[in-house]
């Protein structure tokens, strides 16, 4: 059972940027919009030392952490080689120009 919540309009997220969905007592979620308008949602905490991935640089379907530059694939939520690590992923979709998120993590 999915629990979709409308977050914002797609055009409210900058291209190659993100929007943070704050959560009480849980890790925030970063919703990324890629140049091709695909959206991905990851926990906003780098697996290396907790950097805010929402402030990273998006290129293609990956994001570089702003702290030490680790690259993570947005689709898989995994660090790209040679780094290792993974980050929680969340279901996100675009319906009629609105971004909808389910805050239940996708099983790794
Ligand atoms: S905290 Fe992200 S690369 Fe170090």
């Amino acid at each position: 059972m999915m629990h979709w919540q409308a977050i914002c309009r797609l055009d409210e997220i900058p291209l190659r940027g993100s929007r943070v969905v704050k959560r009480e007592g849980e890790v925030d979620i970063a919703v990324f919009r890629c140049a091709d308008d695909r959206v991905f949602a990851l926990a906003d905490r780098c697996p290396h030392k907790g950097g805010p991935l929402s402030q990273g640089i998006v290129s293609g379907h990956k994001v570089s952490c702003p702290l030490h530059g680790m690259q993570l694939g947005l689709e898989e939520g995994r660090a790209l080689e040679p780094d290792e690590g993974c980050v929680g992923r969340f279901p996100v979709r675009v319906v009629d120009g609105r971004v909808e998120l389910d805050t239940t993590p996708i099983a790794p």
Side-chain angles (χ1 to χ4, degrees):
M1 184 66 162
M2 305 296 281
H3 297 283
W4 296 110
Q5 304 174 17
I7 299 301
C8 61
R9 296 192 51 79
L10 179 63
D11 57 20
E12 290 175 310
I13 308 179
L15 262 189
R16 297 186 302 276
S18 72
R19 165 169 289 232
V20 178
V21 177
K22 297 261 179 214
R23 298 195 300 165
E24 204 56 48
E26 285 185 84
V27 65
D28 294 339
I29 298 175
V31 179
F32 296 94
R33 177 186 178 193
C34 298
D36 60 3
D37 274 343
R38 296 258 331 257
V39 291
F40 298 97
L42 297 182
D44 192 15
R45 192 157 67 194
C46 177
H48 178 224
K49 289 193 175 170
L53 296 175
S54 56
Q55 291 171 37
I57 295 174
V58 174
S59 61
H61 290 169
K62 51 189 204 281
V63 62
S64 306
C65 176
L67 292 197
H68 316 97
M70 180 191 265
Q71 292 200 312
L72 291 137
L74 292 171
E75 222 148 346
E76 320 76 34
R78 272 183 195 288
L80 304 187
E81 293 195 348
D83 292 317
E84 286 181 16
C86 57
V87 62
R89 294 179 298 144
F90 300 86
V92 64
R93 65 181 185 181
V94 179
V95 179
D96 293 336
R98 282 192 320 269
V99 180
E100 297 182 346
L101 175 71
D102 184 336
T103 58
T104 313
I106 298 171

